[in-house]
Amino acid sequence: MKATTYQIKPLGHLATPFADKFGIPRQPRLAPHAIGTLQLLPPYNRAECVRGLADFSHVWLQFVFHEVAGQWSPTVRPPRLGGNAKVGVFASRSPFRPNSLGLSLVELLDVDTRDGVTLRFGGVDLVDGTPIIDIKPYIPFAESLGSLESQPDVRSGFVSGAPPQLAVEFSAAANQQIAAASEANLRELISEVLAQDPRPAYASDVYRLYGVRLYRYDVKWRCDGQTAFVESLDPIEHST
């Protein structure tokens, strides 16, 4: 008898700078200063579970799109197509998938086994608290894009190269707030996130003020289509 359902338990929940999904880079490694920390849960928090992992520079994280779990559609509207044209869900990386599973390639920055197991990753593209269900090392000879791009029969559908990036400028007030912040590389993270232009595809109002929540800040910014202007970093108020 083949199993019709499977039980999956998280290895841990990834801590990231992204308080909600708006502003998260649409692919991994586009914001190298987006750092994720994963504390493995028992019984996976044993040093032998990660023996040899530090010898790899990058890993695949398999995770659950937990905020939209159970929601799926046979067709989706990829941002790369302007948010209008539809493709099949299996021709996309949409989170609205039948089994709510995702895959992300990130840089492995540190493996700490002094008290359980804590892993640090660079270039994460996942919302804070994402359940991680598996970790696999990245193998360049089999998985490197560089080894494939020279082959004439390789196609990438509607995705043709990296998207264009915005310039990012900071107001005097934002500069002062960043200088007073305790988070390392906050300016670099904000620049990397906003350079990807996280606005909806239909956005055109140059006066509209957007907010991207990073760490404990609501980063307020505007965009004229070419440059993202960071106005301020407002503290996020947590309800009690």
Side-chain angles (χ1 to χ4, degrees):
M1 295 289 295
K2 293 184 178 180
T4 56
T5 60
Y6 302 88
Q7 186 179 40
I8 296 177
K9 296 181 179 180
L11 308 180
H13 296 82
L14 190 68
T16 80
F18 304 110
D20 53 34
K21 64 181 182 180
F22 180 65
I24 297 179
R26 296 188 177 109
Q27 301 296 341
R29 301 166 59 218
L30 294 178
H33 288 92
I35 307 301
T37 303
L38 179 66
Q39 291 185 326
L40 298 186
L41 297 171
Y44 319 112
N45 61 340
R46 297 154 54 177
E48 55 263 44
C49 289
V50 293
R51 183 182 301 160
L53 185 62
D55 294 333
F56 295 89
S57 65
H58 294 75
V59 297
W60 294 101
L61 298 181
Q62 192 165 9
F63 62 92
V64 178
F65 287 109
H66 62 295
E67 292 192 346
V68 295
Q71 305 175 41
W72 78 281
S73 172
T75 59
V76 297
R77 302 175 189 268
R80 290 294 290 270
L81 292 178
N84 294 316
K86 290 184 178 182
V87 300
V89 63
F90 299 129
S92 80
R93 298 192 179 189
S94 167
F96 297 98
R97 318 190 70 78
N99 287 303
S100 303
L101 298 180
L103 192 64
S104 185
L105 178 63
V106 297
E107 183 179 4
L108 178 61
L109 300 177
D110 186 52
V111 178
D112 187 344
T113 58
R114 290 172 295 181
D115 182 16
V117 175
T118 300
L119 307 174
R120 291 179 66 248
F121 309 107
V124 299
D125 61 338
L126 307 178
V127 71
D128 187 48
T130 293
I132 302 300
I133 59 173
D134 203 3
I135 303 166
K136 292 184 175 69
Y138 169 75
I139 309 297
F141 87 88
E143 300 165 332
S144 171
L145 286 177
S147 64
L148 293 177
E149 288 175 347
S150 60
Q151 299 183 23
D153 57 343
V154 173
R155 304 188 306 276
S156 58
F158 60 86
V159 182
S160 56
Q165 293 193 344
L166 298 173
V168 181
E169 296 182 4
F170 295 82
S171 70
N175 280 325
Q176 291 178 348
Q177 291 169 315
I178 291 173
S182 59
E183 289 79 6
N185 301 310
L186 183 58
R187 177 189 298 275
E188 290 82 358
L189 175 62
I190 294 172
S191 297
E192 291 164 357
V193 169
L194 298 188
Q196 308 304 320
D197 194 355
R199 297 176 303 159
Y202 53 80
S204 59
D205 185 354
V206 298
Y207 297 104
R208 179 174 176 178
L209 190 65
Y210 295 91
V212 169
R213 302 206 302 167
L214 298 173
Y215 292 118
R216 54 194 175 96
Y217 307 102
D218 190 1
V219 180
K220 299 296 187 181
W221 61 287
R222 305 178 190 274
C223 183
D224 65 0
Q226 302 294 325
T227 303
F229 302 93
V230 181
E231 301 284 352
S232 64
L233 280 66
D234 299 341
I236 296 175
E237 296 183 1
H238 296 281
S239 58
T240 58

